[in-house]
Amino acid sequence: MHFTLAIATVVVVVFGSGVRAVPLTASDAAALASKFPVSSLDAFGIHSNTTLGRGSLRPDAATDPILIVCGAENCAESCTSFDLAVLPNDLCLPALTNQFVSAGISNPTNAGLPFAVVVGTTNCVEVIQLPATNECFNLQGAVFNSYARVV
């Protein structure tokens, strides 16, 4: 009996520690993203990609990056979050809100991502890439209501 309990405990400790972060509540997402520095992105502008790892062609490993989209400027309120680690690649997804006007990627390690994150109009007809992590971007030039993880 004690042997079985000991094995079960080891299994839980070893395999149970790999639990993924759950997307944040709306208020927690807004609280986190509102601390990011703020920049503006225009749907018609061109921006360099700094979400990829620096110093090599292979991106750094990211830990639980989360996309945060908000209905208010400066990532201040009405936010929804999405766990980027579990999203499918190259698939445009609608946001749960009607539209958002600011967005950011929370990345605890501040490392580059092995994929790009874009926000866009309905069905990602027009998209712009979020060029950095741990920064809030006020979005201009279109009505944004979709997002995608692109490799």
Side-chain angles (χ1 to χ4, degrees):
M1 176 69 164
H2 293 291
F3 181 71
T4 304
L5 181 58
I7 289 177
T9 302
V10 169
V11 168
V12 168
V13 169
V14 171
F15 295 106
S17 62
V19 176
R20 296 219 49 87
V22 176
L24 305 169
T25 66
S27 60
D28 287 345
L32 176 63
S34 68
K35 295 177 184 172
F36 292 160
V38 178
S39 298
S40 293
L41 282 180
D42 191 293
F44 303 104
I46 297 175
H47 305 276
S48 63
N49 177 11
T50 58
T51 59
L52 294 178
R54 300 174 204 264
S56 72
L57 295 177
R58 182 181 175 138
D60 300 326
T63 304
D64 296 327
I66 296 173
L67 172 64
I68 300 172
V69 298
C70 303
E73 288 187 340
N74 303 328
C75 299
E77 58 186 56
S78 303
C79 298
T80 304
S81 64
F82 305 94
D83 186 349
L84 290 169
V86 298
L87 290 180
N89 291 328
D90 304 320
L91 179 65
C92 182
L93 299 166
L96 300 177
T97 58
N98 289 332
Q99 82 180 60
F100 49 90
V101 297
S102 61
I105 302 167
S106 172
N107 185 9
T109 65
N110 207 26
L113 302 177
F115 48 81
V117 178
V118 297
V119 293
T121 60
T122 303
N123 299 320
C124 295
V125 172
E126 295 179 35
V127 298
I128 56 175
Q129 181 176 344
L130 300 179
T133 62
N134 300 323
E135 186 170 348
C136 174
F137 294 95
N138 289 326
L139 307 170
Q140 303 165 353
V143 174
F144 297 92
N145 57 13
S146 300
Y147 62 95
R149 170 183 152 153
V150 181
V151 289

